[in-house]
Amino acid sequence: MTTLVHHETGGGVATVTLDSPSNRNALSVRLLGELERALQDAIGDEAVRVIVLTGTGPVFCSGADLKEQAPARAERPDDAPVTASFPGIMSLIWQSPKPVVCRLNGTARAGGLGLVAACDFAIAPDSATFAFSEVRLGVVPAMISVTVLRRLDPRAAAEYFLTGEVFDAARAAEIGLLTRTVPAEELDATVARYADMLLRGGPEALAITKRLVREVPGMTVDEGMRRMAELSAQRFTSAEGQEGLRAFMQKRPASWVPSAGNPAT
């Protein structure tokens, strides 16, 4: 049976690749199962510091595999729908202690945009297009809204969720769906640059900072100041924080940086 998701690791970076171009990397039950396992392996691998999620072919992900959502299948109570493990996969990416970079090899639609929004970084070629096409099928962007609405400007979310209109990569970056859009020939170099920058951060510090980005805006100012003062003190006295300070004073790379002999290399 053909493998639909490939997982390769090197230099501290795990690359997870959707490889089902015949159906535009649609989120079939089998692809979702393989994707979940690949992500779990990458997150659990101590040698992995950064995860890159990408695809093959001209489309990153077209969303749900509609052939598996046909009424004849949906009526069978023992037949898990395509979305059975999709919320878990988005949560895996969102909550991953390791930074996740989405390298969009091309266009994304519907459920594929839930994956894009779950990642910490999303970098796409300027030729890519996007659409929340659910309403045009008489369904709704329900599950993906959990991650997407945390990224998009509210006016833009209403515009594209309700109309299903196709928009380009420049607009996707403008409204917060993408981190950056680049010419196709610069995609790999840009993703590599982000991975290199992330490898320079302390693993514990990166995991904690990921949580800060999401949790601090929901705190009151007083609560935020109190909790962040405590956290700051803890991190300065932590083993990782002390190593980072020593490395800075000694003008050398910290022990976790691959060039400094980190086991991840």
Side-chain angles (χ1 to χ4, degrees):
M1 187 176 292
T2 304
T3 300
L4 301 183
V5 177
H6 299 286
H7 173 201
E8 299 178 351
T9 302
V13 178
T15 302
V16 176
T17 305
L18 309 182
D19 189 15
S20 184
S22 62
N23 67 351
R24 302 184 300 168
N25 293 323
L27 300 172
S28 64
V29 169
R30 191 154 68 87
L31 183 142
L32 286 171
E34 293 183 20
L35 176 57
E36 188 170 44
R37 288 191 293 274
L39 289 169
Q40 289 171 338
D41 288 346
I43 292 170
D45 187 344
E46 292 184 1
V48 171
R49 300 273 308 286
V50 178
I51 300 170
V52 174
L53 177 63
T54 189
T56 59
V59 176
F60 168 66
C61 179
S62 59
D65 188 337
L66 299 181
K67 291 181 180 179
E68 295 185 344
Q69 296 287 4
R73 294 178 59 85
E75 289 168 2
R76 293 166 53 190
D78 60 340
D79 189 14
V82 68
T83 53
S85 59
F86 191 39
I89 288 172
M90 287 192 291
S91 293
L92 265 179
I93 297 171
W94 186 266
Q95 297 173 6
S96 167
K98 302 172 181 183
V100 183
V101 180
C102 186
R103 174 197 175 277
L104 285 94
N105 49 294
T107 290
R109 296 285 189 270
L113 293 174
L115 296 178
V116 173
C119 295
D120 301 290
F121 302 86
I123 303 163
D126 53 18
S127 57
T129 63
F130 308 90
F132 298 98
S133 52
E134 288 87 347
V135 294
R136 297 193 179 189
L137 298 175
V139 296
V140 298
M143 287 182 298
I144 68 169
S145 67
V146 178
T147 56
V148 171
L149 293 182
R150 285 169 164 78
R151 302 295 189 193
L152 260 59
D153 170 82
R155 285 288 190 186
E159 177 182 4
Y160 295 115
F161 271 28
L162 292 171
T163 66
E165 180 184 16
V166 175
F167 53 100
D168 63 20
R171 178 63 172 156
E174 181 183 13
I175 63 178
L177 185 61
L178 298 178
T179 305
R180 189 173 295 275
T181 175
V182 297
E185 62 271 18
E186 297 178 14
L187 181 62
D188 288 336
T190 303
V191 171
R193 184 172 69 86
Y194 273 91
D196 179 68
M197 290 189 290
L198 291 167
L199 288 168
R200 296 174 185 274
E204 294 174 7
L206 286 171
I208 294 170
T209 301
K210 277 193 61 167
R211 294 202 304 270
L212 294 187
V213 171
R214 289 153 191 178
E215 295 175 3
V216 171
M219 300 177 187
T220 65
V221 172
D222 287 344
E223 178 191 14
M225 292 296 186
R226 175 181 58 79
R227 290 178 57 181
M228 293 307 104
E230 294 172 355
L231 177 59
S232 180
Q234 291 170 6
R235 291 308 301 168
F236 271 102
T237 58
S238 68
E240 189 177 88
Q242 287 294 297
E243 162 59 14
L245 292 171
R246 284 194 299 271
F248 177 78
M249 298 300 292
Q250 296 168 7
K251 298 182 179 180
R252 61 171 174 81
S255 61
W256 58 75
V257 178
S259 61
N262 186 291
T265 61

